């Protein structure tokens, strides 16, 4: 390395880049099998459980064999991306997580390695059979590359027992302004013997995360338009982000980020926050992860941005994509 013209540091960086590149290219692709007519990969075990009975019928009806693989989401995403780039073996169909399509559709449309489903969707009139506003999240520059799997409507789950103790009536929380006002009054309203030093009104991630996205959707705005251009300067987006910042910072925040996994379950059990955004898929997590709260929780519509406004949103979602390497796309 002493003879490298840019010095030892640059030489070391180049060596690391070369080793990393070799590791990525040599990493095993998602294995497929010649014994199957189609190979499908998903990251969601719950979805796989629902697919298996449907696949069994599909195999009988079409005289074919389908292999279903369950792969960790990050592994599926990274390995699929690298495999598509180098032309390695990939599944015929993959289930992608919302927000990851852009990893596969950057660059010229001709270089996208996913099948353009737009003509097939039009041919089968799927625009009239699927919730239409789900298609944009699986589209790029007017072309659809994923078939929306789900909608995931959102309500607010809340600790009914604690709200009763604190005298909070969820039926009166019809707007976010009213909701935030009650949240600011929470401090100092604990019951005698309460071991939690501070309760917060709402589980809000400090960095925005998915909760900011679902609030933007509810408010009818977004950070990007349908063409991928930044649209942060719209009044709706600016107002929503401004509201979010005020509720998570300053002297009287109503929100606290409870995280996920065991940390989230502990916060829920302690009642660190009273209200939690609850898409349909989260109800199953409550049942399995915090069964001791049975009978202590309830659901309410999300507060609207203005009286009489929309009181729900959507959080998450998956889309089904067919790779261009699919051997039998018609099937």
């Amino acid at each position: 390395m002493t003879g490298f013209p840019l010095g030892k540091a640059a030489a070391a960086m180049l060596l690391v880049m070369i080793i990393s590149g070799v590791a990525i290219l040599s990493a095993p692709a998602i294995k497929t099998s010649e014994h199957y007519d189609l190979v499908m990969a998903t990251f969601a075990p719950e979805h796989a459980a629902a697919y298996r009975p449907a696949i069994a019928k599909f195999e009988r009806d079409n005289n074919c064999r389908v292999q279903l693989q369950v792969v960790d989401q990050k592994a599926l995403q990274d390995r699929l991306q690298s495999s598509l780039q180098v032309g390695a073996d990939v599944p015929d169909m993959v289930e992608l997580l919302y927000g990851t399509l852009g990893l596969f559709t950057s660059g010229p449309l001709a270089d996208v390695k996913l099948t353009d489903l737009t003509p097939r969707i039009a041919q089968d009139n799927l625009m009239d059979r699927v919730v239409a506003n789900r298609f944009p999240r699986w589209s790029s520059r007017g072309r659809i590359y994923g078939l929306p799997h789900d909608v995931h409507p959102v309500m607010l789950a809340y600790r009914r027992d604690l709200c009763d103790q604190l005298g909070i009536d969820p039926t009166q929380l019809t707007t976010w302004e009213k909701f935030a006002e009650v949240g600011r009054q929470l401090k100092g309203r604990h019951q005698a013997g309460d071991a939690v030093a501070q309760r917060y009104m709402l589980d809000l991630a400090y960095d925005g995360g998915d909760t900011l996205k679902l609030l933007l959707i509810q408010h009818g705005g977004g950070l990007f338009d349908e063409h991928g251009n930044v649209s942060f300067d719209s009044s709706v987006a600016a107002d929503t982000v401004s509201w979010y910042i005020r509720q998570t910072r300053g002297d009287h925040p109503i929100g606290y980020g409870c995280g996920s996994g065991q940390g989230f379950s502990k916060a829920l059990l302690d009642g660190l926050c009273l209200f939690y955004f609850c898409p349909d898929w989260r109800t199953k997590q409550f049942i399995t992860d915090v069964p001791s709260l049975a009978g202590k929780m309830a659901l309410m519509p999300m507060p609207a941005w203005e009286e009489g406004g929309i009181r729900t949103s959507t959080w998450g979602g998956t889309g089904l994509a067919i790779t261009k390497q699919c051997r039998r796309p018609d099937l």
Side-chain angles (χ1 to χ4, degrees):
M1 287 189 185
T2 56
F4 192 75
L6 298 180
K8 293 183 179 180
M13 292 174 62
L14 178 61
L15 182 60
V16 170
M17 290 174 60
I18 293 173
I19 294 173
S20 300
V22 171
I24 291 174
L25 293 177
S26 61
I30 303 169
K31 293 182 179 180
T32 60
S33 172
E34 295 298 328
H35 300 296
Y36 292 91
D37 299 285
L38 292 176
V39 176
M40 176 183 179
T42 180
F43 63 88
E46 300 87 353
H47 291 189
Y51 290 147
R52 288 189 180 100
I55 287 176
K57 181 178 186 303
F58 181 85
E59 289 176 322
R60 293 193 300 270
D61 292 346
N62 294 278
N63 191 29
C64 65
R65 293 192 66 200
V66 180
Q67 183 187 51
L68 178 63
Q69 301 180 358
V70 180
V71 185
D72 174 77
Q73 192 274 323
K74 191 66 166 62
L76 173 61
Q77 171 186 305
D78 293 347
R79 290 161 60 186
L80 179 64
Q81 188 180 24
S82 59
S83 296
L84 287 172
Q85 289 174 346
V86 300
D89 200 17
V90 295
D92 301 289
M93 175 179 279
V94 291
E95 186 164 34
L96 301 176
L97 179 66
Y98 165 57
T100 65
L101 181 68
L103 298 172
F104 305 97
T105 57
S106 59
L109 289 178
D111 294 340
V112 176
K113 303 301 182 181
L114 301 179
T115 300
D116 181 358
L117 302 179
T118 313
R120 293 178 182 268
I121 289 171
Q123 176 183 325
D124 292 338
N125 297 316
L126 288 183
M127 278 293 187
D128 298 327
R129 297 163 55 195
V130 178
V131 178
N133 63 10
R134 302 301 282 182
F135 282 108
R137 62 180 54 199
W138 298 107
S139 303
S140 179
R141 288 154 289 179
R143 313 307 296 175
I144 302 172
Y145 292 98
L147 192 65
H149 174 160
D150 31 34
V151 177
H152 296 318
V154 178
M155 299 181 74
L156 287 188
Y158 63 94
R159 286 288 304 268
R160 177 170 54 189
D161 56 335
L162 296 178
C163 285
D164 289 345
Q165 292 175 21
L166 296 168
I168 296 174
D169 181 1
T171 64
Q172 301 301 310
L173 306 178
T174 54
T175 67
W176 282 117
E177 182 179 355
K178 294 178 180 178
F179 187 92
E181 178 59 30
V182 172
R184 284 189 289 270
Q185 298 170 4
L186 257 184
K187 196 171 184 179
R189 294 177 59 188
H190 302 172
Q191 301 297 305
D194 195 338
V196 179
Q198 174 66 57
R199 293 197 194 277
Y200 295 86
M201 191 71 168
L202 181 63
D203 173 23
L204 284 177
Y206 193 76
D207 62 355
D210 290 323
T211 49
L212 177 57
K213 294 177 186 177
L214 70 88
L215 286 169
L216 283 164
I217 292 172
Q218 181 197 19
H219 208 172
L223 302 180
F224 302 90
D225 63 19
E226 64 272 19
H227 304 294
N229 300 315
V230 175
S231 60
F232 177 78
D233 57 348
S234 70
S235 60
V236 168
D239 289 347
T240 308
V241 173
S242 175
W243 181 90
Y244 198 98
I245 291 173
R246 293 196 306 273
Q247 312 316 321
T248 54
R249 291 157 173 82
D251 296 331
H252 303 287
I254 71 164
Y256 183 90
C258 295
S260 59
Q262 292 183 345
F264 177 82
S265 297
K266 182 65 164 57
L268 192 61
L269 287 167
D270 291 345
L272 179 60
C273 291
L274 300 181
F275 292 80
Y276 301 82
F277 289 105
C278 185
D280 53 359
W281 49 263
R282 206 170 213 182
T283 58
K284 182 64 174 178
Q285 294 181 354
F286 291 157
I287 293 171
T288 57
D289 296 346
V290 285
S292 62
L293 291 182
K296 297 181 180 179
M297 299 191 68
L299 284 171
M300 63 168 281
M302 288 173 55
W305 286 103
E306 55 187 27
E307 286 290 358
I310 295 172
R311 300 196 62 182
T312 188
S313 184
T314 179
W315 182 357
T318 60
L320 302 171
I322 299 175
T323 61
K324 280 188 175 179
Q325 292 168 238
C326 177
R327 294 162 293 181
R328 301 181 64 179
D330 289 336
L331 180 62

